[in-house]
Short mmCIF file of all heavy atoms in Angstrom, two decimals:
data_model
loop_
_atom_site.label_atom_id
_atom_site.label_comp_id
_atom_site.label_asym_id
_atom_site.label_seq_id
_atom_site.Cartn_x
_atom_site.Cartn_y
_atom_site.Cartn_z
N GLU A 1 9.39 -40.27 -0.36
CA GLU A 1 9.41 -41.60 -0.97
C GLU A 1 8.00 -42.13 -1.22
O GLU A 1 7.76 -42.86 -2.18
CB GLU A 1 10.19 -42.57 -0.09
CG GLU A 1 11.60 -42.12 0.26
CD GLU A 1 12.51 -42.07 -0.95
OE1 GLU A 1 12.26 -42.79 -1.92
OE2 GLU A 1 13.49 -41.29 -0.91
N THR A 2 7.07 -41.77 -0.34
CA THR A 2 5.69 -42.25 -0.47
C THR A 2 4.72 -41.15 -0.89
O THR A 2 3.60 -41.44 -1.32
CB THR A 2 5.19 -42.83 0.87
OG1 THR A 2 5.15 -41.79 1.85
CG2 THR A 2 6.10 -43.95 1.34
N GLY A 3 5.14 -39.90 -0.75
CA GLY A 3 4.26 -38.78 -1.07
C GLY A 3 3.32 -38.38 0.04
O GLY A 3 2.54 -37.44 -0.11
N VAL A 4 3.37 -39.06 1.19
CA VAL A 4 2.44 -38.79 2.28
C VAL A 4 2.95 -37.62 3.12
O VAL A 4 4.13 -37.57 3.48
CB VAL A 4 2.27 -40.04 3.18
CG1 VAL A 4 1.37 -39.72 4.37
CG2 VAL A 4 1.71 -41.19 2.37
N ALA A 5 2.05 -36.67 3.43
CA ALA A 5 2.37 -35.56 4.32
C ALA A 5 1.71 -35.81 5.67
O ALA A 5 0.53 -36.16 5.75
CB ALA A 5 1.90 -34.25 3.72
N TYR A 6 2.47 -35.61 6.74
CA TYR A 6 1.98 -35.88 8.09
C TYR A 6 1.81 -34.56 8.85
O TYR A 6 2.68 -33.69 8.82
CB TYR A 6 2.95 -36.78 8.85
CG TYR A 6 3.11 -38.16 8.26
CD1 TYR A 6 4.10 -38.43 7.32
CD2 TYR A 6 2.25 -39.19 8.63
CE1 TYR A 6 4.25 -39.70 6.77
CE2 TYR A 6 2.39 -40.47 8.09
CZ TYR A 6 3.39 -40.71 7.17
OH TYR A 6 3.53 -41.97 6.63
N ARG A 7 0.67 -34.46 9.55
CA ARG A 7 0.38 -33.28 10.37
C ARG A 7 0.45 -33.65 11.84
O ARG A 7 0.19 -34.80 12.21
CB ARG A 7 -1.03 -32.76 10.07
CG ARG A 7 -1.23 -32.26 8.66
CD ARG A 7 -2.70 -31.95 8.40
NE ARG A 7 -3.14 -30.78 9.12
CZ ARG A 7 -3.46 -29.62 8.55
NH1 ARG A 7 -3.33 -29.48 7.23
NH2 ARG A 7 -3.88 -28.61 9.26
N ALA A 8 0.75 -32.66 12.65
CA ALA A 8 0.70 -32.85 14.09
C ALA A 8 -0.74 -32.97 14.54
O ALA A 8 -1.65 -32.40 13.92
CB ALA A 8 1.38 -31.68 14.80
N GLY A 9 -0.96 -33.70 15.63
CA GLY A 9 -2.31 -33.90 16.12
C GLY A 9 -3.00 -32.61 16.49
O GLY A 9 -4.21 -32.44 16.25
N MET A 10 -2.26 -31.66 17.08
CA MET A 10 -2.90 -30.41 17.49
C MET A 10 -3.26 -29.54 16.29
O MET A 10 -4.02 -28.58 16.43
CB MET A 10 -2.00 -29.64 18.45
CG MET A 10 -0.74 -29.07 17.86
SD MET A 10 0.19 -28.04 19.05
CE MET A 10 0.70 -29.27 20.25
N ASP A 11 -2.72 -29.86 15.09
CA ASP A 11 -3.04 -29.12 13.88
C ASP A 11 -4.07 -29.84 13.02
O ASP A 11 -4.31 -29.44 11.88
CB ASP A 11 -1.77 -28.89 13.05
CG ASP A 11 -0.70 -28.14 13.82
OD1 ASP A 11 -1.07 -27.25 14.61
OD2 ASP A 11 0.49 -28.43 13.62
N SER A 12 -4.63 -30.93 13.56
CA SER A 12 -5.58 -31.75 12.81
C SER A 12 -6.99 -31.57 13.34
O SER A 12 -7.21 -30.98 14.40
CB SER A 12 -5.17 -33.23 12.92
OG SER A 12 -3.85 -33.44 12.46
N THR A 13 -7.95 -32.07 12.57
CA THR A 13 -9.36 -32.06 12.98
C THR A 13 -9.91 -33.47 12.88
O THR A 13 -9.91 -34.04 11.78
CB THR A 13 -10.20 -31.12 12.10
OG1 THR A 13 -9.60 -29.80 12.15
CG2 THR A 13 -11.62 -31.03 12.60
N PRO A 14 -10.36 -34.07 14.01
CA PRO A 14 -10.29 -33.53 15.37
C PRO A 14 -8.86 -33.55 15.89
O PRO A 14 -8.03 -34.31 15.40
CB PRO A 14 -11.17 -34.48 16.15
CG PRO A 14 -11.05 -35.78 15.43
CD PRO A 14 -10.95 -35.43 13.97
N GLN A 15 -8.59 -32.74 16.91
CA GLN A 15 -7.26 -32.69 17.48
C GLN A 15 -6.95 -33.96 18.26
O GLN A 15 -7.83 -34.56 18.86
CB GLN A 15 -7.12 -31.47 18.40
CG GLN A 15 -7.11 -30.15 17.66
CD GLN A 15 -6.76 -28.99 18.58
OE1 GLN A 15 -6.77 -29.13 19.80
NE2 GLN A 15 -6.46 -27.85 17.99
N THR A 16 -5.68 -34.36 18.24
CA THR A 16 -5.22 -35.50 19.04
C THR A 16 -3.94 -35.10 19.77
O THR A 16 -3.27 -34.13 19.39
CB THR A 16 -4.93 -36.72 18.15
OG1 THR A 16 -3.89 -36.39 17.21
CG2 THR A 16 -6.17 -37.17 17.40
N ASN A 17 -3.61 -35.85 20.78
CA ASN A 17 -2.40 -35.59 21.56
C ASN A 17 -1.23 -36.34 20.93
O ASN A 17 -0.69 -37.30 21.48
CB ASN A 17 -2.59 -36.02 23.01
CG ASN A 17 -3.74 -35.30 23.67
OD1 ASN A 17 -3.90 -34.09 23.52
ND2 ASN A 17 -4.56 -36.04 24.41
N SER A 18 -0.84 -35.90 19.76
CA SER A 18 0.25 -36.55 19.04
C SER A 18 1.00 -35.52 18.22
O SER A 18 0.49 -34.45 17.89
CB SER A 18 -0.29 -37.66 18.11
OG SER A 18 -1.08 -37.09 17.08
N ASP A 19 2.24 -35.86 17.91
CA ASP A 19 3.07 -34.99 17.08
C ASP A 19 3.88 -35.87 16.13
O ASP A 19 4.00 -37.09 16.33
CB ASP A 19 4.00 -34.16 17.95
CG ASP A 19 4.63 -32.99 17.19
OD1 ASP A 19 4.09 -32.61 16.13
OD2 ASP A 19 5.66 -32.45 17.66
N VAL A 20 4.41 -35.25 15.10
CA VAL A 20 5.28 -35.93 14.14
C VAL A 20 6.63 -35.24 14.19
O VAL A 20 6.72 -34.01 14.28
CB VAL A 20 4.69 -35.89 12.72
CG1 VAL A 20 5.62 -36.60 11.74
CG2 VAL A 20 3.31 -36.51 12.70
N ALA A 21 7.70 -36.03 14.14
CA ALA A 21 9.04 -35.48 14.31
C ALA A 21 9.98 -35.99 13.23
O ALA A 21 9.79 -37.07 12.66
CB ALA A 21 9.59 -35.84 15.69
N TYR A 22 10.99 -35.18 12.99
CA TYR A 22 12.08 -35.51 12.07
C TYR A 22 13.31 -35.91 12.89
O TYR A 22 13.61 -35.28 13.92
CB TYR A 22 12.42 -34.30 11.21
CG TYR A 22 13.61 -34.52 10.30
CD1 TYR A 22 13.41 -34.94 8.99
CD2 TYR A 22 14.91 -34.30 10.74
CE1 TYR A 22 14.50 -35.15 8.14
CE2 TYR A 22 16.00 -34.52 9.91
CZ TYR A 22 15.78 -34.94 8.61
OH TYR A 22 16.85 -35.16 7.79
N PHE A 23 14.04 -36.90 12.40
CA PHE A 23 15.26 -37.36 13.06
C PHE A 23 16.23 -37.79 11.98
O PHE A 23 15.92 -38.66 11.17
CB PHE A 23 14.92 -38.52 13.99
CG PHE A 23 16.07 -39.12 14.74
CD1 PHE A 23 17.18 -38.37 15.10
CD2 PHE A 23 16.03 -40.45 15.13
CE1 PHE A 23 18.23 -38.93 15.80
CE2 PHE A 23 17.06 -41.03 15.84
CZ PHE A 23 18.17 -40.26 16.18
N GLY A 24 17.41 -37.16 11.94
CA GLY A 24 18.34 -37.53 10.89
C GLY A 24 19.76 -37.05 11.15
O GLY A 24 20.02 -36.25 12.05
N ARG A 25 20.67 -37.56 10.34
CA ARG A 25 22.06 -37.12 10.35
C ARG A 25 22.40 -36.71 8.92
O ARG A 25 22.31 -37.52 7.99
CB ARG A 25 22.99 -38.24 10.84
CG ARG A 25 24.43 -37.79 11.06
CD ARG A 25 25.35 -38.95 11.41
NE ARG A 25 25.09 -39.48 12.74
CZ ARG A 25 24.71 -40.73 12.98
NH1 ARG A 25 24.52 -41.57 11.96
NH2 ARG A 25 24.50 -41.14 14.20
N LEU A 26 22.78 -35.45 8.74
CA LEU A 26 22.95 -34.86 7.42
C LEU A 26 24.29 -34.14 7.32
O LEU A 26 24.93 -33.86 8.33
CB LEU A 26 21.82 -33.87 7.15
CG LEU A 26 20.39 -34.44 7.15
CD1 LEU A 26 19.37 -33.31 7.19
CD2 LEU A 26 20.17 -35.33 5.93
N PRO A 27 24.72 -33.81 6.09
CA PRO A 27 25.98 -33.07 5.93
C PRO A 27 25.90 -31.68 6.56
O PRO A 27 24.87 -31.01 6.51
CB PRO A 27 26.14 -32.98 4.41
CG PRO A 27 25.34 -34.11 3.86
CD PRO A 27 24.17 -34.25 4.78
#
């Protein structure tokens, strides 16, 4: 919807102690 892509903190530079998650209910 916004076009923004999110990376996990451990996959970023500099690294951070964070993650991104998906949560949903689908067919």
Side-chain angles (χ1 to χ4, degrees):
E1 305 294 334
T2 64
V4 177
Y6 296 92
R7 296 172 70 110
M10 68 175 67
D11 302 324
S12 303
T13 304
Q15 290 188 347
T16 61
N17 301 317
S18 66
D19 195 19
V20 180
Y22 176 95
F23 180 29
R25 188 186 290 119
L26 299 167

